[in-house]
PDB file of all heavy atoms in Angstrom:
ATOM      1  N   ILE A  99      62.080  98.100 165.312  1.00  0.00           N
ATOM      2  CA  ILE A  99      62.670  99.387 165.690  1.00  0.00           C
ATOM      3  C   ILE A  99      64.072  99.104 166.179  1.00  0.00           C
ATOM      4  O   ILE A  99      64.205  98.409 167.213  1.00  0.00           O
ATOM      5  CB  ILE A  99      61.862 100.136 166.784  1.00  0.00           C
ATOM      6  CG1 ILE A  99      60.413 100.397 166.257  1.00  0.00           C
ATOM      7  CG2 ILE A  99      62.542 101.419 167.128  1.00  0.00           C
ATOM      8  CD1 ILE A  99      59.422  99.388 166.700  1.00  0.00           C
ATOM      9  N   PHE A 100      65.043  99.616 165.508  1.00  0.00           N
ATOM     10  CA  PHE A 100      66.439  99.539 165.997  1.00  0.00           C
ATOM     11  C   PHE A 100      66.922 100.906 166.418  1.00  0.00           C
ATOM     12  O   PHE A 100      67.065 101.811 165.596  1.00  0.00           O
ATOM     13  CB  PHE A 100      67.343  98.981 164.887  1.00  0.00           C
ATOM     14  CG  PHE A 100      68.655  98.475 165.396  1.00  0.00           C
ATOM     15  CD1 PHE A 100      68.986  97.121 165.264  1.00  0.00           C
ATOM     16  CD2 PHE A 100      69.567  99.294 166.039  1.00  0.00           C
ATOM     17  CE1 PHE A 100      70.171  96.566 165.739  1.00  0.00           C
ATOM     18  CE2 PHE A 100      70.768  98.791 166.527  1.00  0.00           C
ATOM     19  CZ  PHE A 100      71.076  97.388 166.369  1.00  0.00           C
ATOM     20  N   GLY A 101      67.023 101.113 167.719  1.00  0.00           N
ATOM     21  CA  GLY A 101      67.510 102.435 168.274  1.00  0.00           C
ATOM     22  C   GLY A 101      69.029 102.419 168.435  1.00  0.00           C
ATOM     23  O   GLY A 101      69.581 101.418 168.804  1.00  0.00           O
ATOM     24  N   LEU A 102      69.591 103.572 168.086  1.00  0.00           N
ATOM     25  CA  LEU A 102      71.066 103.679 168.138  1.00  0.00           C
ATOM     26  C   LEU A 102      71.400 104.918 168.979  1.00  0.00           C
ATOM     27  O   LEU A 102      70.864 106.004 168.728  1.00  0.00           O
ATOM     28  CB  LEU A 102      71.568 103.766 166.712  1.00  0.00           C
ATOM     29  CG  LEU A 102      72.994 103.296 166.387  1.00  0.00           C
ATOM     30  CD1 LEU A 102      73.236 101.804 166.900  1.00  0.00           C
ATOM     31  CD2 LEU A 102      73.205 103.446 164.933  1.00  0.00           C
ATOM     32  N   PHE A 103      72.353 104.727 169.898  1.00  0.00           N
ATOM     33  CA  PHE A 103      72.796 105.830 170.727  1.00  0.00           C
ATOM     34  C   PHE A 103      74.333 105.933 170.539  1.00  0.00           C
ATOM     35  O   PHE A 103      75.042 104.961 170.680  1.00  0.00           O
ATOM     36  CB  PHE A 103      72.490 105.568 172.151  1.00  0.00           C
ATOM     37  CG  PHE A 103      71.003 105.413 172.458  1.00  0.00           C
ATOM     38  CD1 PHE A 103      70.424 104.173 172.473  1.00  0.00           C
ATOM     39  CD2 PHE A 103      70.167 106.479 172.585  1.00  0.00           C
ATOM     40  CE1 PHE A 103      69.075 103.981 172.656  1.00  0.00           C
ATOM     41  CE2 PHE A 103      68.797 106.390 172.769  1.00  0.00           C
ATOM     42  CZ  PHE A 103      68.256 105.127 172.853  1.00  0.00           C
ATOM     43  N   ALA A 104      74.828 107.124 170.223  1.00  0.00           N
ATOM     44  CA  ALA A 104      76.232 107.358 169.948  1.00  0.00           C
ATOM     45  C   ALA A 104      76.743 108.509 170.848  1.00  0.00           C
ATOM     46  O   ALA A 104      76.011 109.418 171.186  1.00  0.00           O
ATOM     47  CB  ALA A 104      76.407 107.633 168.486  1.00  0.00           C
ATOM     48  N   PRO A 105      78.044 108.443 171.166  1.00  0.00           N
ATOM     49  CA  PRO A 105      78.607 109.598 171.802  1.00  0.00           C
ATOM     50  C   PRO A 105      78.460 110.824 171.003  1.00  0.00           C
ATOM     51  O   PRO A 105      78.505 110.805 169.758  1.00  0.00           O
ATOM     52  CB  PRO A 105      80.100 109.223 171.998  1.00  0.00           C
ATOM     53  CG  PRO A 105      80.108 107.691 171.860  1.00  0.00           C
ATOM     54  CD  PRO A 105      79.014 107.368 170.915  1.00  0.00           C
ATOM     55  N   LYS A 106      78.323 111.994 171.614  1.00  0.00           N
ATOM     56  CA  LYS A 106      78.127 113.246 170.911  1.00  0.00           C
ATOM     57  C   LYS A 106      79.259 113.487 169.896  1.00  0.00           C
ATOM     58  O   LYS A 106      78.966 114.012 168.799  1.00  0.00           O
ATOM     59  CB  LYS A 106      78.182 114.439 172.019  1.00  0.00           C
ATOM     60  CG  LYS A 106      77.528 115.664 171.546  1.00  0.00           C
ATOM     61  CD  LYS A 106      76.021 115.557 171.508  1.00  0.00           C
ATOM     62  CE  LYS A 106      75.394 116.896 171.642  1.00  0.00           C
ATOM     63  NZ  LYS A 106      73.953 116.813 171.438  1.00  0.00           N
ATOM     64  N   ASP A 107      80.444 113.167 170.204  1.00  0.00           N
ATOM     65  CA  ASP A 107      81.604 113.399 169.273  1.00  0.00           C
ATOM     66  C   ASP A 107      81.954 112.193 168.442  1.00  0.00           C
ATOM     67  O   ASP A 107      83.111 112.070 167.961  1.00  0.00           O
ATOM     68  CB  ASP A 107      82.802 113.893 170.053  1.00  0.00           C
ATOM     69  CG  ASP A 107      83.294 112.911 171.091  1.00  0.00           C
ATOM     70  OD1 ASP A 107      82.596 111.872 171.300  1.00  0.00           O
ATOM     71  OD2 ASP A 107      84.278 113.145 171.802  1.00  0.00           O
ATOM     72  N   SER A 108      81.025 111.224 168.206  1.00  0.00           N
ATOM     73  CA  SER A 108      81.433 110.008 167.474  1.00  0.00           C
ATOM     74  C   SER A 108      81.586 110.211 166.036  1.00  0.00           C
ATOM     75  O   SER A 108      82.215 109.377 165.296  1.00  0.00           O
ATOM     76  CB  SER A 108      80.356 108.919 167.747  1.00  0.00           C
ATOM     77  OG  SER A 108      79.140 109.370 167.231  1.00  0.00           O
ATOM     78  N   GLY A 109      81.149 111.288 165.437  1.00  0.00           N
ATOM     79  CA  GLY A 109      81.420 111.564 164.044  1.00  0.00           C
ATOM     80  C   GLY A 109      81.070 110.518 163.103  1.00  0.00           C
ATOM     81  O   GLY A 109      79.964 110.031 163.009  1.00  0.00           O
ATOM     82  N   VAL A 110      82.074 110.112 162.315  1.00  0.00           N
ATOM     83  CA  VAL A 110      81.824 109.146 161.233  1.00  0.00           C
ATOM     84  C   VAL A 110      81.531 107.704 161.726  1.00  0.00           C
ATOM     85  O   VAL A 110      80.775 107.044 161.062  1.00  0.00           O
ATOM     86  CB  VAL A 110      83.093 109.049 160.282  1.00  0.00           C
ATOM     87  CG1 VAL A 110      84.278 108.367 160.967  1.00  0.00           C
ATOM     88  CG2 VAL A 110      82.787 108.432 158.993  1.00  0.00           C
TER      89      VAL A 110
END
Side-chain angles (χ1 to χ4, degrees):
I99 301 96
F100 199 115
L102 208 54
F103 301 97
K106 200 73 155 173
D107 60 355
S108 60
V110 72

